[in-house]
Amino acid sequence: MISRRHFAATLAAAAPALSQPASRLPIKKAILLGMLPKTLSLEERCKLAKEVGFEEMECPQTNDPRDAEAIKKAAEAAKLRIHSVMNGDHWQYPLSSGDPEVVKRSMTAMRTSLQNAALWGAETVLLVPAVVNPQTTYKQAWERSQQRIRELIPLAEKLKVIIAVEEVWNKFLVSPLEFAHYVDEFKSPWVKAYFDVGNILIWSYPQDWIRTLGSRIVKLHFKDFKFQQNPQTRKREADFVALREGDIDWKEVHSALRDIKYRGTATVELAGGDRTYLAEVSRRF
């Protein structure tokens, strides 16, 4: 299997001619701030993202107001719009925890993320809503996370920022029907779905989720995986690969996104690299 580190180091060396879809979807291309070279200044990183073909950027939750202002200025100078904020504490401090101190920290992080989004002009905050584990049942994860998100909705509405719930490897929201029902129960335009095309490939098909979630989808993450049989364990394992070299049926994904008339942003979520690497990621995207 190709390791994530190996993928990051070798992608630029292999640039095969890739067939193009019949028509390009009206989707804006975005990159994670964390994928840009940390050896460069913020201004240089944002400028590089723009130069290699990205229109927008997703930034992590930023607790220091001075850092938040610096990111805002760098993005504005490069004319690179910040479209979304990735909450930083939802894994380690999940809203679904039974520990009040953990929940308090998670709620504080979400409020910070929402304020970041308002400052940067981003319309969404990505939130992993809950984590199911030996301490938290599925039912508890559902009820606790919904209760706490409802407490955040008034702030989201005031700031005009959508709380975008994402499905990840957290043993929660494990089917498109559940995901849709979870979002619908809020009965609020300020809670939507952030759909990761790669995250559910291990047990399902992204095109099915896209059609089921439909207009609930407010943002997308793009990554790709390759499944191979481990000869020692005889288990089916997956690893990160370059976009359009894995097992995702991108033509079907394209068709599903066209069917639901998606017009938003998709953010590539891969390992970082230098200019050559990022230009190749942009080309494949």
Side-chain angles (χ1 to χ4, degrees):
M1 290 186 296
I2 302 174
S3 71
R4 192 169 186 173
R5 180 176 297 176
H6 180 67
F7 162 57
T10 61
L11 172 60
L18 302 172
S19 61
Q20 298 298 316
S23 61
R24 178 172 174 175
L25 296 172
I27 294 176
K28 298 179 182 66
K29 292 167 54 176
I31 189 169
L32 297 177
L33 174 60
M35 288 178 60
L36 302 171
K38 294 178 176 58
T39 54
L40 301 179
S41 68
L42 271 173
E43 291 78 8
E44 291 170 329
R45 276 181 268 174
C46 292
K47 182 181 178 184
L48 171 60
K50 189 76 171 182
E51 289 174 348
V52 298
F54 290 97
E55 303 164 86
E56 300 187 351
M57 179 169 65
E58 183 169 83
C59 296
Q61 170 193 322
T62 304
N63 298 324
D64 189 326
R66 292 170 297 181
D67 291 341
E69 284 289 348
I71 291 171
K72 174 182 168 69
K73 290 179 181 178
E76 287 176 347
K79 293 182 171 58
L80 184 71
R81 193 175 86 88
I82 300 174
H83 78 93
S84 185
V85 178
M86 186 181 292
N87 180 253
D89 287 355
H90 46 207
W91 270 110
Q92 189 174 0
Y93 305 99
L95 291 175
S96 54
S97 174
D99 185 335
E101 289 303 313
V102 170
V103 173
K104 180 180 178 181
R105 177 151 182 172
S106 188
M107 292 290 281
T108 297
M110 268 303 292
R111 292 186 181 102
T112 298
S113 294
L114 288 165
Q115 295 287 353
N116 286 161
L119 174 68
W120 294 334
E123 66 258 24
T124 58
V125 168
L126 183 158
L127 171 67
V128 175
V131 176
V132 175
N133 55 34
Q135 294 77 40
T136 304
T137 67
Y138 206 105
K139 185 173 185 289
Q140 288 171 333
W142 188 287
E143 293 175 349
R144 290 172 181 172
S145 62
Q146 283 198 336
Q147 176 187 343
R148 283 139 194 175
I149 290 172
R150 286 191 177 99
E151 293 173 18
L152 292 165
I153 288 175
L155 178 60
E157 182 175 9
K158 177 183 177 182
L159 298 175
K160 308 301 182 204
V161 177
I162 294 169
I163 298 170
V165 177
E166 188 183 41
E167 91 296 344
V168 293
W169 301 327
N170 55 345
K171 297 180 171 59
F172 188 63
L173 303 180
V174 294
S175 84
L177 296 175
E178 277 192 11
F179 197 172
H181 183 56
Y182 182 86
V183 171
D184 288 348
E185 284 194 333
F186 289 102
K187 296 181 173 62
S188 171
W190 303 104
V191 181
K192 297 283 188 179
Y194 201 128
F195 181 66
D196 189 305
V197 171
N199 280 348
I200 52 84
L201 186 65
I202 290 176
W203 67 83
S204 192
Y205 303 93
Q207 58 269 27
D208 179 23
W209 286 59
I210 290 167
R211 291 189 174 98
T212 301
L213 291 171
S215 61
R216 299 173 185 86
I217 298 175
V218 68
K219 292 291 169 69
L220 297 166
H221 266 167
F222 279 3
K223 61 169 74 81
D224 213 339
F225 291 98
K226 185 73 175 177
F227 291 98
Q228 296 188 40
Q229 195 81 8
N230 187 315
Q232 295 180 332
T233 64
R234 296 183 180 180
K235 292 182 178 179
R236 189 166 174 255
E237 297 178 352
D239 205 356
F240 293 93
V241 294
L243 287 177
R244 300 174 70 180
E245 288 189 6
D247 290 321
I248 291 177
D249 189 334
W250 288 105
K251 289 185 178 180
E252 283 300 318
V253 169
H254 179 280
S255 178
L257 291 171
R258 183 188 59 215
D259 288 348
I260 70 167
K261 297 179 172 58
Y262 182 75
R263 297 291 186 273
T265 301
T267 302
V268 64
E269 188 180 26
L270 296 170
D274 61 13
R275 175 184 288 270
T276 302
Y277 164 83
L278 294 172
E280 176 62 10
V281 170
S282 177
R283 184 181 78 90
R284 289 169 182 257
F285 200 170

